Amino acid sequence: MHIVAAKVVCTFLLLTTLPIQVYAEPKINSLELPLADITLKPGTVLKLKALAIKVKPEIDINNMQLLAIEILAKSQQGKGLIRLRIGNKVTAWQKISGNKDTFNSKQAESFSTTKIRSPGTGKGQVWQLLVNGYIKVRKIILYTTKVDSTPLGSV
């Protein structure tokens, strides 16, 4: 009985003296891309990295990981579709609501929000929004995190 207790104490002491790597929690950043109600036509490909650099030139976009996007948009017939391409991975098509009566309206209520999770990490890859249909976009918000796996230190 004393031998078992001694082994447990020795194992505990050994584990508590080993250094443990501490990593920082990834900080999630959001970047708003204002698009001023542009109308996108079927087959349009929006290059999200290029748009992000236009908005914030100092951003190190190639060292960022795209987690998700949020898009404020509407479609002309309520049948418009969008999807996100990260590298060679794509999401399923997402339907954008709307109708022809409110398509040219500037009213905020005529737009709806669609959220899409990234199908991949996106570091060093293309970030594109693919469009099928006539879609008017007010803004896109990118949710990113910086890619960094450097430990802060040992505990």
Side-chain angles (χ1 to χ4, degrees):
M1 182 93 160
H2 292 293
I3 296 174
V4 172
K7 284 184 180 179
V8 170
V9 170
C10 287
T11 303
F12 175 74
L13 290 174
L14 177 64
L15 290 175
T16 57
T17 60
L18 293 175
I20 299 172
Q21 298 293 321
V22 178
Y23 293 86
E25 283 293 318
K27 180 182 174 192
I28 297 175
N29 303 301
S30 64
L31 177 61
E32 185 173 316
L33 310 176
L35 295 176
D37 297 356
I38 63 167
T39 300
L40 305 176
K41 297 177 180 171
T44 301
V45 176
L46 275 183
K47 296 178 180 180
L48 299 176
K49 281 186 177 181
L51 291 172
I53 291 169
K54 275 187 179 180
V55 171
K56 195 172 180 181
E58 70 276 9
I59 193 169
D60 183 11
I61 200 75
N62 288 318
N63 200 28
M64 302 297 282
Q65 188 172 11
L66 183 64
L67 303 173
I69 67 165
E70 192 171 317
I71 181 169
L72 188 61
K74 59 184 168 182
S75 66
Q76 190 172 28
Q77 301 288 330
K79 298 176 184 175
L81 301 169
I82 59 170
R83 71 178 174 182
L84 185 59
R85 175 189 292 154
I86 305 298
N88 61 358
K89 296 180 181 177
V90 293
T91 62
W93 288 104
Q94 301 287 317
K95 193 172 189 179
I96 303 295
S97 63
N99 62 61
K100 63 181 180 177
D101 296 332
T102 61
F103 189 69
N104 291 316
S105 170
K106 298 282 185 195
Q107 299 274 332
E109 303 83 41
S110 66
F111 290 84
S112 63
T113 301
T114 302
K115 298 175 184 177
I116 305 175
R117 283 189 176 203
S118 176
T121 61
K123 182 181 183 275
Q125 299 177 332
V126 297
W127 301 355
Q128 298 175 335
L129 187 69
L130 310 178
V131 177
N132 186 5
Y134 289 89
I135 297 175
K136 192 168 292 220
V137 181
R138 180 154 285 179
K139 69 179 175 181
I140 298 173
I141 302 172
L142 305 179
Y143 294 97
T144 63
T145 187
K146 189 172 183 177
V147 178
D148 186 16
S149 60
T150 306
L152 292 176
S154 299
V155 175

